[in-house]
Amino acid sequence: MAPLREMVLYYNPDQSPYAAKLKGVLVRMGIRIKNIAPEQTGELVGTLAGKAGNGGGGEPREQESIPQIPEEILVMKNFTGHRIDALLLNLRKAGVPKIALKAVITEQNSRWTFYQLYEEIKKEHLAMTAAETEKEKG
């Protein structure tokens, strides 16, 4: 059986000048990219990633009730740990600044809206950053 095709859902609200470099790395690595627009953040992650039969109430929320996401987000589908490491190394080599908010699509989060996923990875990132700061003070 052929390996599942890797895909990245990429959300970039500020159209960062590094987006072209990031996309170049993805293309060279044979990774599909799907740009997520602000009006798509109410859609389910699994739907955005092209999963069929996603379960969970598939209707996106009314758009006006979804706040804008101010940060860049990289969500990976069908990646092995080795390929995640390779992607991050290639991005660094290409001069792409570290993307703080990253996630891998799971069975659970594929049923969340993109905005709900953002809220969760933002919370995790803040907790990890706080823990690192505490350790440095240590």
Side-chain angles (χ1 to χ4, degrees):
M1 189 170 107
L4 295 171
R5 182 95 193 265
E6 296 160 328
M7 174 192 269
V8 161
L9 302 180
Y10 181 57
Y11 179 82
N12 181 7
D14 302 325
Q15 297 308 306
S16 120
Y18 298 102
K21 285 183 179 180
L22 179 138
K23 290 174 186 177
V25 168
L26 295 174
V27 167
R28 283 192 298 281
M29 291 182 71
I31 300 166
R32 285 178 36 213
I33 182 167
K34 177 163 185 176
N35 293 304
I36 305 302
E39 58 273 12
Q40 292 177 294
T41 61
E43 294 181 35
L44 297 178
V45 171
T47 302
L48 291 169
K51 280 190 171 181
N54 208 22
E59 288 302 308
R61 290 192 256 168
E62 284 301 310
Q63 196 57 41
E64 65 265 5
S65 68
I66 299 170
Q68 291 300 299
I69 299 173
E71 299 167 84
E72 185 176 37
I73 304 172
L74 192 72
V75 181
M76 297 164 273
K77 175 185 172 190
N78 296 333
F79 276 73
T80 62
H82 172 73
R83 285 290 283 175
I84 291 171
D85 292 343
L87 173 60
L88 298 178
L89 177 65
N90 285 326
L91 290 174
R92 197 167 53 242
K93 283 182 179 175
V96 177
K98 186 176 179 188
I99 298 171
L101 303 181
K102 294 180 286 294
V104 172
I105 296 177
T106 65
E107 194 59 44
Q108 181 180 2
N109 70 22
S110 69
R111 295 186 191 99
W112 298 349
T113 65
F114 196 83
Y115 188 81
Q116 287 170 313
L117 178 62
Y118 159 71
E119 288 180 312
E120 191 58 35
I121 56 180
K122 176 73 175 175
K123 199 179 345 175
E124 288 174 14
H125 177 71
L126 290 172
M128 284 175 25
T129 306
E132 288 170 14
T133 304
E134 272 309 303
K135 199 167 26 170
E136 288 169 9
K137 286 180 189 173

